[in-house]
C-alpha cells in the first residue's frame, strides 16, 4: 500500500483512540451552534441561509485548528518519535502530507457533523443549497490553510503550548491582513504595492467570496497555494531541526 | 557547516515567502473572472440577456470606469475599504463584458486625482463625487459610456448596496448606447404621477418612482386626455393609467392605436386609492364619496374581456399584514395582497424574475363568453378568494370586518393578464379617414386591474446615500412595470437580466405557524362578534317590552344579560390573548427545539456513543 495512505490511516485512527478528539468535536459543535443561534441570531433573522453559521468559522478555527495542529510535530519531537518516524520507509514529504491530510480529514469530519443546521435551514425555508455547498467548501479550505500554518509552526518547536500560541498569532495576522490593524504596520515601512499585496492575503476576503456561492479560481488557488507553501516550509523546518 | 545549512534553509524560507506573495498577486490578476457560480440564480454569471446585448453591438462603445484609487488607498475607513472591494467587482464584471463583446466594447479605468483634468471630466459627465477622502476629497466610482455618434450616458455612482442590480445597470447603459433611438412611450394617466404643482398642498409633488424610471428608460410623451384625438405613429408603446371618463375621441384614439398594431399597457382600478377626485379642502366628505374607479367598458367589450369596475378581489391566502393606526397591532388586510415567487408566473418574461409584488384593492379580468381572444394571467389570486363591492372595502374602517364576512368562492381571479387576439373596433359607426374596423394582424394588450401597484408606498422607499437619493425597493412592483413596458417595446434581452435584486428567502415554516394562529384568532374574534350581536339583540328585545318610564332603567333581566355578556367577553378576550400567546410560544418552542438539535443533540449523541463504546471495550477486556 502507498506509504502516505498507510500513515494517513494510522494518524487518523490515532485521533479517535483518545477522548481528546471527541472533546474537540463536541466543543466545535457546541461553539458553532451557539455562535450561529446566539451571536448570529439565525432564528430571529428569519432568512433561509447559513450566513450566520459561516460568519464565525474563521474565528472558531483561529483557536480550534491550532489546538489540533500543535501536537502534529511538537509532540513527536519532544518524545523523540520523530526520528523513528523518519526512519520508516516514508519520505519526509509523505510524512508531512499524511499527517496534514489526517488532521484535515479530522476537521472535515467535525464540519460534516454540523449537518443538522443544513437540515434545519431546509426545513425552515427554501435556501440556496448551492451557496451552502460553496460555504462548506470555503470553510474546509480555510481550515486547511489554518492547519498548514499550525503544522509548520508545530514543527518549529518542541513545546505544544508555544506551537499553539505561535499558530494563533500567525493565523490571526492572515485573518486580519487587509484590515487597518495589520496594514498600518506595513504602511509605515513598505510601498503601496506591498501593502495592497498584503491586503490580498487575507483569509477573510477569499473566504467571503467563496461563501457567497462563487468558487473563483483565484480564491481556490489562494487557499491551495497557502496550504502548499506552509507544508513545504513544514518539510524544510523538519529537515532543519532534524539535526537539533 | 551547521551554520551554513541553517542560513541556507532560512534564506530558502525567505525566498519561499516572497514567491508565495508573488504567486498570490499573480493569480489575483491571472485568474480574474474564471469562476464557478453555484448560486441558484447564477447571480454572478453574465446572463443570456447581457450576452445577447453584447453580441448584437455593431458600433464600438467606449466605457470609462472612474475610481479614485490613490485617494482611497490610504484610507482606514471601513466604508472606503468596502468601496475598494466593490470597485474590483465592478471592474471584473466590465472586463468580463469586454471580453464577450467581440472587440466592440472598450474599457478604460481612470483614476480622477483631485484637481486633475480627469476629475473635471468625471464631474462634467455627471459622475457623483462623494467626500470620503482623507481630507474630504471627492471619491468617484462611476461609469461613463460613449458611443460612436457621441451619445453619452453615465452611472453616477455604483452603490455597493445595489450589487445585485450591477449587471442590469451596466447592461442597461450599454443597451441605451447601442440603440441610438430610445423607444417612445405615450403616457396617459388619470393620476398625478408625473409630479408638478399640487393645488391641495400648494407644494411641488414628486413624480412617482415608476414614472422617473420610465423617463430614464424611454422617450416619454405625456398625453392629455382632454384633447386626445389620435395617437402619434411614432409612439411605440402606449401606457394608460386609471382612465376616468375618457371622451369618445380619446377612447377611439386608443382603439385605433391597438388596431394599428400598437402596444398597449392598461391599468384600470375599481378603487384607485391615490385617486383624489372630488378633493375639496372645504368639504372632506366630497373626496370620500367620489368614485375612485376607472373603466373602459366599450373597449373591453370590443376586445372580448369582462371587467367590473365596482368589484374588488379579496384574497385570504395573500393578505398583507397592515397597521390600521399607529401603535395598533397589525391586522391582515384581504384587499392588500402580496404575491411572492411561487405565485408569479415563471414562464413569462415580465414576472419570471420577480420576487414580490404588492397590489391593493385590485379588480379582475375574465374572458367574455364566445370571445375569440386568448387571456394569459400574469397575476392571479389564490383559490381562497372572493369579490366584494368596492364600496364595502372603501368604507370598511377595519380590515377584520372584511375577513369576518369572508367566504371563498373557490375561483381564482386574474388581476393582470396578457390579452392576445385579432381585435375589432369598439366604434364601428365612425368613418374617420384611415378608420380601421379590425386589426390586420393579431395583437397583444397587457391589462392590469390595479393602479396602486404603481404607487411608491407599495414598493419603494427613497433613501439618502451620502446626499444622493437612492431608491430602496422592498417589492418588485417597479420592475413589473418596467418589464411590461420594456417587453412591449420589444427589447426582451434587458428583461432577462432584471429582477435578480431581492433574494429574500424567509422561513416559510414560521410563516405557516403564524398563518395558522391567525386563522384561530380570527375564528375566536368572530365568535366574540357574534355573541356581541346576540346580546345586543336580546337587550333590544327586552327593551321593547318596557313602558316609557322604564326605558332608561335596566330591568333585572337586561342587567343579567349584560353581565353575562361582559363575562363572556372577558372570557373570549382571554382566549384571544391565549391564542396570541400560544402563537409566540409555538414559534419560541420551534426555535428552542432547533437550537437544541443544532447545539446539543449531536454532541450529546457523540458523548453517549463514546461512553458506550468505551464501556463495551472495557467489558471486552474483562472477558
Amino acid at each position: 500500500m502507498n506509504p502516505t495512505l498507510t500513515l494517513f490511516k494510522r494518524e487518523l485512527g490515532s485521533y479517535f483512540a483518545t477522548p481528546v478528539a471527541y472533546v474537540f468535536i463536541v466543543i466545535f459543535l457546541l461553539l458553532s451552534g451557539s455562535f450561529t443561534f446566539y451571536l448570529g441570531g439565525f432564528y430571529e433573522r428569519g432568512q433561509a441561509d447559513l450566513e450566520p453559521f459561516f460568519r464565525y468559522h474563521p474565528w472558531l478555527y483561529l483557536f480550534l485548528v491550532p489546538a489540533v495542529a500543535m501536537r502534529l510535530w511538537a509532540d513527536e519531537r519532544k518524545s523523540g518519535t520523530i526520528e523513528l518516524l523518519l526512519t520508516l520507509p516514508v519520505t519526509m514529504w509523505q510524512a508531512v502530507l499524511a499527517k496534514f491530510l489526517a488532521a484535515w480529514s479530522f476537521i472535515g469530519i467535525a464540519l460534516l457533523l454540523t449537518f443538522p443546521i443544513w437540515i434545519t435551514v431546509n426545513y425552515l425555508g427554501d435556501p440556496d443549497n448551492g451557496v451552502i455547498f460553496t460555504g462548506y467548501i470555503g470553510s474546509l479550505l480555510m481550515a486547511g490553510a489554518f492547519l498548514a500554518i499550525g503544522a509548520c509552526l508545530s514543527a518549529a518547536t518542541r513545546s505544544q503550548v508555544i506551537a499553539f500560541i505561535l499558530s494563533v498569532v500567525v493565523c490571526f495576522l492572515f485573518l486580519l491582513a487587509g484590515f487597518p490593524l495589520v496594514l498600518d504596520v506595513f504602511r509605515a515601512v513598505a510601498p503601496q504595492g506591498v501593502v495592497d499585496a498584503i491586503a490580498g492575503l487575507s483569509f477573510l476576503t477569499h473566504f467571503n467570496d467563496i461563501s457567497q456561492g462563487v468558487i473563483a479560481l483565484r480564491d481556490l488557488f489562494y487557499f491551495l497555494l497557502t496550504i502548499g507553501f506552509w507544508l513545504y516550509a513544514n518539510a524544510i523546518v523538519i529537515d532543519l531541526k532534524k539535526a537539533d | 557547516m551547521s551554520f551554513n545549512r541553517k542560513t541556507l534553509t532560512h534564506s530558502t524560507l525567505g525566498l519561499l515567502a516572497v514567491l508565495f506573495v508573488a504567486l498570490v498577486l499573480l493569480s489575483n490578476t491571472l485568474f480574474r473572472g474564471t469562476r464557478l457560480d453555484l448560486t441558484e440564480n447564477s447571480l454572478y454569471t453574465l446572463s443570456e440577456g447581457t450576452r445577447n446585448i453584447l453580441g448584437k453591438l455593431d458600433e464600438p462603445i467606449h466605457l470609462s470606469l472612474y475610481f479614485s484609487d490613490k485617494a482611497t488607498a490610504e484610507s482606514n475607513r471601513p466604508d472606503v475599504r468596502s468601496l475598494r472591494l466593490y470597485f474590483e467587482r465592478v471592474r471584473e464584471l466590465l472586463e468580463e463584458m469586454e471580453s464577450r463583446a467581440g472587440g466592440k466594447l472598450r474599457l478604460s479605468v481612470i483614476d480622477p486625482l483631485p484637481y486633475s483634468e480627469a476629475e473635471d471630466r468625471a464631474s462634467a459627465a455627471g459622475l457623483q463625487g462623494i467626500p470620503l477622502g482623507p481630507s474630504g476629497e471627492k471619491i468617484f466610482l462611476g461609469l461613463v459610456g460613449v458611443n460612436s455618434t457621441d451619445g453619452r450616458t453615465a452611472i453616477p455612482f455604483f452603490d455597493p448596496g445595489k450589487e445585485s442590480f450591477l449587471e442590469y445597470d451596466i447592461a442597461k447603459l450599454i443597451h441605451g448606447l447601442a440603440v441610438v433611438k430610445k423607444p417612445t412611450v405615450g403616457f396617459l394617466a388619470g393620476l398625478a404621477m408625473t409630479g408638478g404643482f399640487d393645488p391641495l398642498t400648494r407644494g411641488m409633488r414628486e413624480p412617482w418612482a415608476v414614472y422617473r424610471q420610465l423617463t430614464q428608460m424611454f422617450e416619454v410623451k405625456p398625453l392629455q386626455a382632454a384633447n386626445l384625438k389620435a395617437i402619434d405613429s411614432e409612439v411605440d408603446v402606449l401606457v394608460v393609467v386609471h382612465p376616468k371618463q375618457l371622451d369618445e375621441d380619446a377612447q377611439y384614439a386608443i382603439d385605433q392605436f391597438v388596431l394599428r398594431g400598437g402596444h398597449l399597457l392598461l391599468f384600470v382600478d375599481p378603487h384607485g386609492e391615490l385617486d383624489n377626485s372630488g378633493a375639496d379642502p372645504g368639504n372632506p366628505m366630497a373626496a370620500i364619496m367620489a368614485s375612485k374607479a376607472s373603466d373602459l367598458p366599450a373597449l373591453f367589450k370590443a376586445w372580448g374581456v369582462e371587467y367590473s369596475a365596482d368589484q374588488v378581489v379579496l384574497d385570504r391566502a395573500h393578505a398583507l399584514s397592515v397597521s390600521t393606526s399607529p401603535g395598533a397591532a397589525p391586522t391582515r388586510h384581504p384587499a392588500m395582497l402580496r404575491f411572492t415567487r411561487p405565485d408569479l408566473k415563471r414562464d413569462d418574461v415580465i414576472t419570471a424574475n420577480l420576487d414580490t409584488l404588492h397590489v391593493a384593492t385590485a379588480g379582475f379580468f375574465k374572458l367574455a363568453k364566445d370571445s375569440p381572444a386568448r387571456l394569459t394571467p400574469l397575476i392571479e389570486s389564490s383559490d381562497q378568494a372572493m369579490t366584494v363591492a368596492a364600496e364595502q372595502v372603501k368604507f370598511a374602517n377595519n380590515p377584520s370586518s372584511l375577513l369576518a364576512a369572508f367566504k371563498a368562492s373557490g375561483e381564482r381571479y386574474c388581476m393582470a393578464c396578457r390579452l392576445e387576439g385579432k381585435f375589432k373596433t369598439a366604434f364601428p359607426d365612425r368613418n374617420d379617414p384611415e378608420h380601421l374596423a379590425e386589426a390586420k394582424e393579431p395583437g397583444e394588450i397587457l391589462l392590469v386591474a390595479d393602479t396602486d401597484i404603481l404607487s411608491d408606498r407599495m414598493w419603494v422607499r427613497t433613501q439618502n446615500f451620502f446626499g444622493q437619493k437612492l431608491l430602496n425597493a422592498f417589492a418588485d412592483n417597479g420592475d413589473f412595470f418596467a418589464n411590461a413596458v420594456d417587453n412591449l417595446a420589444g427589447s426582451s434581452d434587458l428583461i432577462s437580466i432584471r429582477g435578480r435584486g431581492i433574494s429574500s428567502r424567509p422561513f416559510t415554516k414560521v410563516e405557516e405557524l403564524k398563518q395558522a394562529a391567525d386563522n384561530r384568532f380570527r375564528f375566536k374574534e368572530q365568535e366574540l362578534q357574534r355573541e356581541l350581536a346576540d346580546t345586543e339583540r336580546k337587550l333590544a328585545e327586552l327593551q321593547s317590552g318596557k313602558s316609557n318610564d322604564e326605558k332608561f332603567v335596566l330591568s333585572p333581566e337586561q342587567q343579567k344579560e349584560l353581565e353575562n355578556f361582559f363575562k363572556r367577553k372577558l372570557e373570549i378576550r382571554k382566549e384571544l390573548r391565549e391564542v396570541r400567546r400560544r402563537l409566540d410560544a409555538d414559534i419560541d418552542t420551534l426555535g428552542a427545539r432547533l437550537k437544541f438539535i443544532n447545539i446539543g443533540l449531536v454532541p450529546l449523541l457523540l458523548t453517549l456513543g463514546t461512553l458506550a463504546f468505551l464501556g463495551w471495550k472495557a467489558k471486552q477486556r474483562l472477558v
Side-chain angles (χ1 to χ4, degrees), chain A residues 19-192:
Chain A
V20 178
Y22 298 98
V23 172
F24 171 84
I25 292 181
V26 165
I27 290 177
F28 175 73
L29 294 178
L30 285 176
L31 284 181
S32 81
S34 313
F35 283 3
T36 309
F37 277 88
Y38 292 101
L39 294 184
F42 170 78
Y43 191 61
E44 293 73 20
R45 237 172 116 247
Q47 283 294 313
D49 61 44
L50 287 189
E51 197 271 331
F53 171 68
F54 289 117
R55 196 194 307 157
Y56 297 101
H57 279 200
W59 309 105
L60 268 175
Y61 290 151
L62 181 59
F63 292 98
L64 292 180
V65 176
V68 174
M70 66 182 185
R71 56 169 284 280
L72 281 182
W73 295 101
D75 200 29
E76 301 252 15
R77 279 189 55 201
K78 196 175 175 200
S79 56
T81 47
I82 191 160
E83 277 79 18
L84 188 70
L85 178 72
L86 295 175
T87 51
L88 291 174
V90 287
T91 64
M92 171 119 63
W93 252 111
Q94 284 170 338
V96 168
L97 204 63
K99 269 180 174 288
F100 169 77
L101 287 179
W104 202 15
S105 308
F106 170 65
I107 295 169
I109 290 169
L111 192 59
L112 218 58
L113 286 173
T114 59
F115 69 92
I117 192 78
W118 176 74
I119 297 176
T120 303
V121 78
N122 273 282
Y123 166 76
L124 283 172
D126 172 31
D128 188 339
N129 283 311
V131 177
I132 295 178
F133 176 72
T134 61
Y136 271 106
I137 298 273
S139 180
L140 191 65
L141 281 171
M142 189 171 55
F146 273 106
L147 190 66
I149 294 174
C152 177
L153 295 172
S154 158
T157 167
R158 281 167 195 276
S159 159
Q160 290 196 27
V161 177
I162 294 175
F164 175 79
I165 293 169
L166 271 180
S167 306
V168 171
V169 171
V170 175
C171 290
F172 188 56
L173 289 178
F174 264 90
L175 209 53
L176 286 190
F179 278 71
L181 179 77
V182 172
L183 290 185
D184 279 351
V185 178
F186 287 97
R187 193 163 286 138
V189 292
Q192 186 60 37

Side-chain angles (χ1 to χ4, degrees), chain B residues 249-311:
Chain B
D249 278 347
Q251 292 190 43
Y252 181 66
I254 299 173
D255 173 89
Q256 290 297 301
F257 173 78
V258 170
L259 298 191
R260 278 206 312 268
H263 294 130
L264 173 68
L265 170 58
L266 174 62
F267 292 84
V268 285
D269 202 330
H271 179 60
E273 296 188 6
L274 285 129
D275 177 353
N276 54 11
S277 354
D280 176 1
N283 178 12
M285 278 315 282
I288 297 172
M289 298 312 289
S291 161
K292 313 277 187 197
S294 53
D295 196 1
L296 284 175
L299 292 175
F300 283 139
K301 191 158 179 267
W303 297 332
V305 67
E306 279 177 11
Y307 163 74
S308 328
D310 57 353
Q311 292 288 310

Side-chain angles (χ1 to χ4, degrees), chain B residues 349-413:
Chain B
V349 279
I350 296 178
T351 45
N353 288 323
L354 305 183
D355 282 307
T356 317
L357 272 184
H358 291 153
V359 304
T361 55
F364 66 100
F365 299 106
K366 226 188 207 163
L367 209 55
K369 262 189 202 137
D370 309 323
S371 170
R374 202 159 69 103
L375 184 145
T376 324
L378 285 176
I379 309 175
E380 215 175 8
S381 75
S382 73
D383 54 4
Q384 289 293 300
M386 66 180 290
T387 62
V388 290
E391 297 289 299
Q392 213 174 314
V393 180
K394 194 162 142 188
F395 295 113
N397 42 17
N398 192 341
S400 42
S401 64
L402 294 170
L403 276 171
F406 192 91
K407 198 162 175 281
S409 68
E411 201 178 321
R412 285 179 188 272
Y413 298 95

Side-chain angles (χ1 to χ4, degrees), chain A residues 22 30 37 43 46-48 116-117 120 124 126 128 130 134 184 187 213-215 217-218 221 232 236 239, chain B residues 5 9 16 27 34-36 38 40 44 73-74 76 92 504-509 587 591 595 598-599 610:
Chain A
Y22 298 98
L30 285 176
F37 277 88
Y43 191 61
Q47 283 294 313
I117 192 78
T120 303
L124 283 172
D126 172 31
D128 188 339
T134 61
D184 279 351
R187 193 163 286 138
V214 180
I215 301 185
L217 192 56
R218 64 173 185 196
F221 185 77
Y232 191 58
I236 293 177
D239 200 39
Chain B
R5 208 179 108 94
T9 323
L16 213 58
S27 75
T34 318
R35 56 193 173 186
L36 183 63
L38 291 176
E40 200 174 344
Y44 299 96
E74 305 273 323
N76 283 342
E92 281 171 23
S504 168
R505 290 167 181 271
F507 284 165
T508 42
K509 204 78 203 166
I587 293 176
K595 270 178 200 157
N598 282 288
I599 301 170
T610 314

Side-chain angles (χ1 to χ4, degrees), chain B residues 3 53 73 106 113 144 199 213 322 324 378 411 548 565 587:
Chain B
F3 173 74
I53 289 172
R106 272 180 226 123
L113 295 171
V144 180
Q213 234 180 20
V322 293
T324 41
L378 285 176
E411 201 178 321
N548 266 348
F565 170 71
I587 293 176

Side-chain angles (χ1 to χ4, degrees), chain B residues 98-109:
Chain B
E98 188 185 22
S99 69
R100 284 189 175 267
K104 294 288 182 201
L105 195 67
R106 272 180 226 123
L107 174 72
S108 40
V109 181

